[in-house]
Amino acid sequence: MKSRKQLGAWTSQQAKDLTAISKEIWGLLPNPAFVAIEGEMGAGKTTTVAALIQAADITHFEGSPTFAIVQSYHSPIRGNIYHLDCYRIEDQEELINLGLEELIEENATFFIEWPEKINEILPLQHYWLYIRMNPDMSRTLALYHDY
């Protein structure tokens, strides 16, 4: 049976708040790490990943990999980082054809949007980053560790 531990929670009033929050999140993650990101459409998942990528000393964020599924980066301080947007994955057969199961075995950090689409290949030990929109248009982020 899995256990879950909350590692941190933050409220972001503006996009610029994500810079400091991203640095704190990196401080809580091992290297490498697998981070499943959950939030409603428009909650700020890609914006948060952009801030995390920039906080890893990567100056050029490629944007959402919605159509390509995978975007890779190399950080001088964190090594290889993959940003996956699994929104368009329809079924298990497509998942197999994309080769994501092999990719996630790489010694790298992964940020996965729409992780429920690849739930069957999520590593046993991984992190969850929940992003919620609040009525005042701020965002609440919470980081958990599943083990």
Side-chain angles (χ1 to χ4, degrees):
M1 186 168 155
K2 284 186 182 180
S3 294
R4 180 170 287 178
K5 178 181 179 183
Q6 184 172 355
L7 301 177
W10 306 266
T11 299
S12 170
Q13 298 292 333
Q14 301 172 9
K16 68 179 183 173
D17 296 337
L18 288 175
T19 300
I21 292 169
S22 294
K23 290 177 182 177
E24 288 185 41
I25 290 172
W26 275 117
L28 296 169
L29 295 174
N31 193 19
F34 193 95
V35 183
I37 302 171
E38 186 180 285
E40 294 178 2
M41 186 77 73
K45 294 179 296 295
T46 300
T47 301
T48 301
V49 172
L52 287 160
I53 295 290
Q54 290 166 351
D57 284 350
I58 297 169
T59 56
H60 184 70
F61 178 68
E62 295 291 330
S64 175
T66 301
F67 294 101
I69 310 276
V70 179
Q71 184 61 52
S72 63
Y73 299 92
H74 183 76
S75 164
I77 59 174
R78 297 295 293 203
N80 290 335
I81 299 172
Y82 292 95
H83 176 200
L84 282 70
D85 185 335
C86 298
Y87 180 75
R88 295 175 51 89
I89 295 175
E90 295 294 326
D91 54 36
Q92 179 71 22
E93 183 179 334
E94 185 177 3
L95 181 60
I96 291 166
N97 291 338
L98 289 168
L100 294 182
E101 196 164 6
E102 292 82 20
L103 179 67
I104 65 169
E105 291 176 5
E106 186 173 323
N107 188 25
T109 295
F110 291 86
F111 294 110
I112 313 294
E113 294 185 50
W114 303 100
E116 65 274 10
K117 300 277 192 154
I118 64 166
N119 196 44
E120 57 273 3
I121 66 168
L122 290 177
L124 181 61
Q125 292 192 31
H126 60 276
Y127 295 81
W128 283 95
L129 181 61
Y130 294 100
I131 304 172
R132 300 287 181 253
M133 288 295 298
N134 299 318
D136 65 358
M137 299 309 289
S138 66
R139 288 177 175 85
T140 300
L141 292 83
L143 182 66
Y144 290 85
H145 182 219
D146 275 2
Y147 55 96

